[in-house]
Amino acid sequence: MTAPRYDVIAIGNAIVDVMAPSSDELVEELGLAKGGMTLVDTARAGELYDAMGSAREISGGSAANTLAGLAAMGAQCAFIGQVADDQLGSIFAHDIRAMGIDFDTPVRATDNTEANPPTARCLIFVTPDGERTMNTFLGASQFLPPAALDDETIASAAVLYLEGYLWDPEEPRSAMRRAIEVARGAGRKVAFTASESFVIDRHGDDFRALIADGLIDILFVNEHELASLTGEADFDAGLAALDGKVPVVVATRSAKGAVCMADGKRSEVAAEPIDKVVDTTGAGDLFAAGFLYGHTRGEDAERCLRRGAIAAAEIISHYGARPEADLKALMDEKLG
């Protein structure tokens, strides 16, 4: 096997986050599920945008956020995701390339119709407690075709990282299945993040089949997703249900820290203390970044978890899902 060109290549939604502070009253008035993620159509996206206060536009997307964290720590990364030929598409492409992440997916034409939608955006209402309520218009991102994949590039990454959110639309689901075949054929590892419980509710049978077929090497879930995936309400029972089926399971528990089960061995870390939770957007994404950075460098599970906890703590201390502090320096300071 040749040495990998990339540490991680990811396939995910290419989204621009539009974030604004919000009162709890506005979230309730708009009928939003506080703390959750809801898919919206073009009309609803327009309605919610009009209701937002002063907002910031920040390139996002779960897998892209993870790569941003990895790149900030010094990893070599590439991203595969679909944007449209519009302003937000240009913003997304510029932002991800500016971080040193390779992004070569051809843009898609748009006329703002259902058949040719604009670039995806996520409208995020951030309440005073730091909780984020996300409303996602998937737009062009759900039209990523298998033809957009470059087999040689996928095979050149040590880890293929897949975003569960993107499993819903048919085209990108087919693209990810193809990518799994290529990565496995090249002897590379496949990492998968479940993304959200509602995704598991819709596609849990697919995910459980991937696990049963031995196609997932590293699985990222939070405690709620673990329960949805395994059908076990008890956290430890959920971990036990995956024992022997996935080589590495990483389960985050918010303020209660995180657990890793790697080949039957359990490792656990506490959450990193911070002064104030400002915005939880991207906490899981950056936890995955820290863990994968350590994993691709052969570190033990506990150190990988520590990296994840440090990265997650940095991201929830400010607005937005992209790191603002020097993550590499922060890791050196915290881990020595």
Side-chain angles (χ1 to χ4, degrees), residues 274-293:
I274 65 169
D275 293 333
K276 180 182 179 182
V277 175
V278 175
D279 171 24
T280 57
T281 307
D285 303 336
L286 268 292
F287 193 100
F291 188 93
L292 287 172
Y293 182 85

Side-chain angles (χ1 to χ4, degrees), residues 173-198:
R173 182 167 65 249
S174 297
M176 287 193 284
R177 287 190 183 279
R178 171 63 183 156
I180 292 172
E181 292 178 9
V182 173
R184 302 293 297 189
R188 307 304 191 184
K189 292 184 178 180
V190 177
F192 190 90
T193 175
S195 294
E196 190 87 25
S197 293
F198 87 87

Side-chain angles (χ1 to χ4, degrees), residues 40-216:
V40 298
D41 58 18
T42 306
R44 179 63 165 162
E47 176 188 347
L48 294 177
Y49 183 76
D50 289 343
M52 295 180 102
S54 180
R56 296 169 58 192
E57 294 177 348
I58 308 168
S59 293
S62 176
N65 292 337
T66 296
L67 292 189
L70 278 158
M73 286 179 263
Q76 297 298 308
C77 303
F79 179 72
I80 301 170
Q82 189 67 66
V83 298
D85 186 14
D86 57 17
Q87 182 180 4
L88 289 184
S90 297
I91 289 172
F92 181 91
H94 171 270
D95 287 353
I96 200 164
R97 290 169 182 154
M99 291 180 290
I101 299 168
D102 287 349
F103 175 53
D104 299 315
T105 308
V107 299
R108 177 184 171 88
T110 179
D111 55 12
N112 294 310
T113 64
E114 186 175 337
N116 297 294
T119 296
R121 67 285 316 268
C122 183
L123 306 173
I124 304 174
F125 294 75
V126 184
T127 42
D129 58 0
E131 193 66 79
R132 81 281 186 271
T133 300
M134 301 185 294
N135 303 273
T136 303
F137 170 62
L138 291 172
S141 67
Q142 61 188 326
F143 290 93
L144 176 72
L149 305 182
D150 181 89
D151 289 1
E152 184 177 344
T153 301
I154 292 170
S156 70
V159 176
L160 168 68
Y161 182 70
L162 303 175
E163 177 185 326
Y165 282 133
L166 200 55
W167 199 263
D168 207 43
E170 181 178 351
E171 278 192 278
R173 182 167 65 249
S174 297
M176 287 193 284
R177 287 190 183 279
R178 171 63 183 156
I180 292 172
E181 292 178 9
V182 173
R184 302 293 297 189
R188 307 304 191 184
K189 292 184 178 180
V190 177
F192 190 90
T193 175
S195 294
E196 190 87 25
S197 293
F198 87 87
V199 179
I200 298 171
D201 292 341
R202 291 170 63 90
H203 301 289
D205 287 346
D206 277 358
F207 299 162
R208 286 183 280 270
L210 291 173
I211 290 169
D213 291 341
L215 298 179
I216 304 299

